[in-house]
Amino acid sequence: MNVEEIFQVIVQHTREIIPELEEHAFRFNDQLKELGANSIDRAEIIALTMDSLSIQVPMLDLSGAQNMGELATLFHEKL
Amino acid sequence: MKNYDPADIVITGAGIITAAAQGKAAVTDTLLQARSAFAVMQRPGRQHNTAFVGAEIPEIIYPAHFSKKLLRSITLTGGAALVAVEEAWQEARLSGVPPHRIGLITGGSNFQQRELMQIIDAYREKPVFIRPAYGISFMDTDVCGLCTEVFNIRGMSYSAGGASASGQLAVLQAIQAVQSGQVDVCIALGALMDLSFWELQSLRTLGAMGSSKYADDPAAACRPFDRNRDGFIYGECSGAVVIERMTTAAERQVQPYAAISGWAMAMDGNRNPNPSYDGECAVIRQALEKAGIHPKDIDYINPHGSGSLVGDETELQALQDCGLAHAFINTTKSITGHGLTAAGMVEVIAVILQMKAGMLHPCRNLEDPADPSFNWVRETLQHEIRHALSLSFGFGGINTALCLRRL
């Protein structure tokens, strides 16, 4: 699975948690917080993504991600 | 001039959802027509090689202003709470009250058992991935948080558990919050008790819930005070009322439904589910005394009437010995089913809806009353309620009573 594919998994779960983003054209530099995801929403998106990717990453290891693209890259490094 | 005092505690708004209907107008119709929704339950998590009978809400209709994001994360209990509070809020015009002067008491505890069980089952083999939101939603106060966020309530809010008397307990606590000056207006919510098959099975094994006697005729299963009853039948429901003083209601030009003239709570000193004649008589007498009325003044009773074998007998004996056998009496649970944490609230709302309609609803399935000398409402009838008594009893020896007076 490449970074783009992981990004699409994150997008899928973001749309699940925030249905209002169904029509949003996601880009790598999108920030979940700016898109209206509060801290619980962000934790939910990350937990759902880890479940889909079957990987466990400590939340602390993901805290450096500044946007959704960086988040996808960090997940890719852990695969 | 109506018969009220400025210090009267009044109900200025109400919202309700039952399995048969949503909203006061539709619920009033279903009550007066004794229309119910009992069937073998279908909601995921309700059966496990069983065929438990109950009444389930087919769909909750939400106001258009609730966001998709809000509705995505909502539980059955949370959704029912929101539509009940919304209806009560609009009616009492609470947008005109400063948010920090509004409170909310959620009546009930451990009321999302089915939903929590579903989450745990889904993640049993992969617990590290459990949804983080479970860390919030497993607490009953999540419903307080949900409602206070949606309605911007900034006064006080907490959940109050009183088993099947939780709905009335929420009313009692809301009265105290208003009388103490903690808030000017307090919403009392009876939370929808969302049972899983674990609770249903144990309640049946306890002998509290009805047996499979009516498995082939679910509509006949719920029959409080009938000689052929054999336990309560569960029904999903929720309700909310707005409690305040007559003075604040008058300031917003809101016409109250009724005054809450008397109330009482007493414990039996008994952890078990069995009823107590003494405890029931105690709250009836205390509530009447507080209301400053005599038993003969009560013209309508909305009893606890769960359909329990011993419970119904005990309640009738208590009513008889408190001098209340003359009053009209019907059984809201025969139509809605037993909402447990919500029951007391739904029944208080049933009282004020009947008061407003000038009608009393019939008892469903009361074919052979346990005591025919009582003034049972067998068919829908016209009656102007002046003084009503509503009773709730809960496991653990909890007894509550409310007197409601027409204004």
Side-chain angles (χ1 to χ4, degrees):
Chain A
M1 200 175 241
N2 61 32
V3 172
E4 174 59 30
E5 287 167 333
I6 294 172
F7 179 75
Q8 289 307 324
V9 172
I10 300 171
V11 166
Q12 174 202 329
H13 292 308
T14 303
R15 286 186 169 136
E16 189 180 332
I17 297 298
I18 310 176
E20 281 82 354
L21 295 174
E22 187 58 43
E23 302 298 323
H24 179 73
F26 283 89
R27 294 170 305 172
F28 270 35
N29 61 355
D30 274 337
Q31 295 178 326
L32 288 171
K33 195 173 181 179
E34 296 300 316
L35 293 174
N38 64 28
S39 61
I40 299 297
D41 297 334
R42 298 197 297 275
E44 289 272 289
I45 292 164
I46 288 168
L48 286 166
T49 302
M50 290 197 290
D51 193 359
S52 293
L53 300 176
S54 296
I55 59 168
Q56 291 176 45
V57 183
M59 286 289 181
L60 198 60
D61 291 4
L62 301 171
S63 60
Q66 295 300 309
N67 55 43
M68 292 177 70
E70 289 183 20
L71 187 61
T73 303
L74 280 173
F75 275 129
H76 185 255
E77 289 168 1
K78 302 286 181 183
L79 281 179
Chain B
M1 188 67 180
K2 299 260 186 170
N3 62 329
Y4 62 75
D5 183 286
D8 273 347
I9 294 289
V10 294
I11 298 175
T12 53
I16 187 167
I17 181 167
T18 69
Q22 178 176 341
K24 296 185 290 285
V27 168
T28 302
D29 286 348
T30 59
L31 290 175
L32 295 178
Q33 295 164 19
R35 197 146 36 84
S36 64
F38 295 104
V40 173
M41 292 190 280
Q42 303 292 323
R43 204 179 288 289
R46 285 276 159 76
Q47 309 286 357
H48 189 78
N49 302 319
T50 48
F52 295 127
V53 169
E56 296 180 313
I57 295 169
E59 184 189 10
I60 299 177
I61 310 298
Y62 293 101
H65 64 87
F66 286 177
S67 72
K68 287 181 187 171
K69 178 169 179 280
L70 171 72
L71 297 179
R72 179 203 62 78
S73 62
I74 217 158
T75 60
L76 175 64
T77 301
L82 282 185
V83 296
V85 173
E86 164 82 8
E87 191 183 12
W89 180 281
Q90 297 297 344
E91 186 172 36
R93 297 181 208 153
L94 295 188
S95 299
V97 180
H100 70 283
R101 299 303 300 161
I102 303 174
L104 171 85
I105 315 278
T106 298
S109 55
N110 308 104
F111 43 64
Q112 304 196 85
Q113 297 292 98
R114 184 193 62 86
E115 204 115 21
L116 301 179
M117 181 202 74
Q118 294 285 92
I119 295 171
I120 291 168
D121 276 359
Y123 289 94
R124 189 171 300 282
E125 303 304 324
K126 48 178 182 179
V128 293
F129 295 125
I130 193 159
R131 305 285 292 270
Y134 176 79
I136 299 172
S137 66
F138 84 90
M139 288 187 254
D140 296 321
T141 43
D142 186 38
V143 172
C144 299
L146 173 73
C147 292
T148 55
E149 178 178 304
V150 169
F151 296 98
N152 191 32
I153 294 167
R154 301 297 181 97
M156 38 64 72
S157 185
Y158 58 88
S159 57
S164 292
S166 294
Q168 281 211 5
L169 177 60
V171 173
L172 299 185
Q173 295 303 108
I175 293 169
Q176 286 187 5
V178 169
Q179 286 195 322
S180 70
Q182 195 173 12
V183 287
D184 292 329
V185 174
C186 194
I187 300 164
L189 167 70
L192 185 152
M193 172 59 91
D194 189 359
L195 297 177
S196 79
F197 64 80
W198 292 108
E199 290 76 45
L200 291 163
Q201 183 63 60
S202 57
L203 287 162
R204 172 172 282 179
T205 310
L206 266 181
M209 195 174 85
S211 72
S212 56
K213 181 175 173 181
Y214 295 98
D216 296 331
D217 186 10
C222 191
R223 45 197 319 117
F225 298 112
D226 187 81
R227 286 190 202 280
N228 288 315
R229 71 191 183 281
D230 75 345
F232 82 81
I233 301 298
Y234 170 64
E236 292 177 348
C237 53
S238 187
V241 293
V242 175
I243 308 283
E244 59 186 309
R245 287 184 195 277
M246 191 65 212
T247 43
T248 57
E251 282 167 14
R252 298 196 314 288
Q253 298 182 314
V254 176
Q255 180 62 45
Y257 278 95
I260 304 177
S261 52
W263 55 90
M265 178 176 190
M267 302 301 288
D268 300 328
N270 172 24
R271 182 188 178 189
N272 294 318
N274 56 300
S276 159
Y277 166 84
D278 290 337
E280 294 177 16
C281 289
V283 289
I284 291 168
R285 290 181 173 128
Q286 285 172 31
L288 290 172
E289 187 181 347
K290 188 162 186 63
I293 56 176
H294 300 288
K296 64 176 171 42
D297 297 322
I298 295 288
D299 56 74
Y300 167 67
I301 297 165
N302 192 305
H304 180 64
S306 70
S308 144
L309 281 171
V310 181
D312 285 7
E313 297 281 355
T314 306
E315 185 170 12
L316 289 181
Q317 193 63 55
L319 289 169
Q320 178 88 51
D321 294 352
C322 287
L324 290 162
H326 65 279
F328 284 120
I329 180 169
N330 58 12
T331 56
T332 299
K333 286 187 184 77
S334 70
I335 300 169
T336 61
H338 191 351
L340 302 162
T341 45
M345 181 61 63
V346 163
E347 285 147 24
V348 165
I349 295 170
V351 171
I352 61 175
L353 293 180
Q354 291 177 96
M355 198 179 264
K356 186 178 179 187
M359 311 266 280
L360 299 180
H361 73 71
C363 307
R364 275 184 73 255
N365 292 328
L366 187 64
E367 291 163 358
D368 186 7
D371 183 343
S373 73
F374 273 78
N375 205 356
W376 302 105
V377 182
R378 308 295 289 271
E379 303 286 341
T380 306
L381 62 84
Q382 291 196 332
H383 174 71
E384 298 279 332
I385 299 172
R386 291 187 56 76
H387 290 283
L389 174 70
S390 183
L391 301 172
S392 286
F393 311 129
F395 288 173
I398 302 170
N399 309 280
T400 60
L402 291 176
C403 293
L404 295 118
R405 188 184 79 234
R406 171 184 286 276
L407 291 166

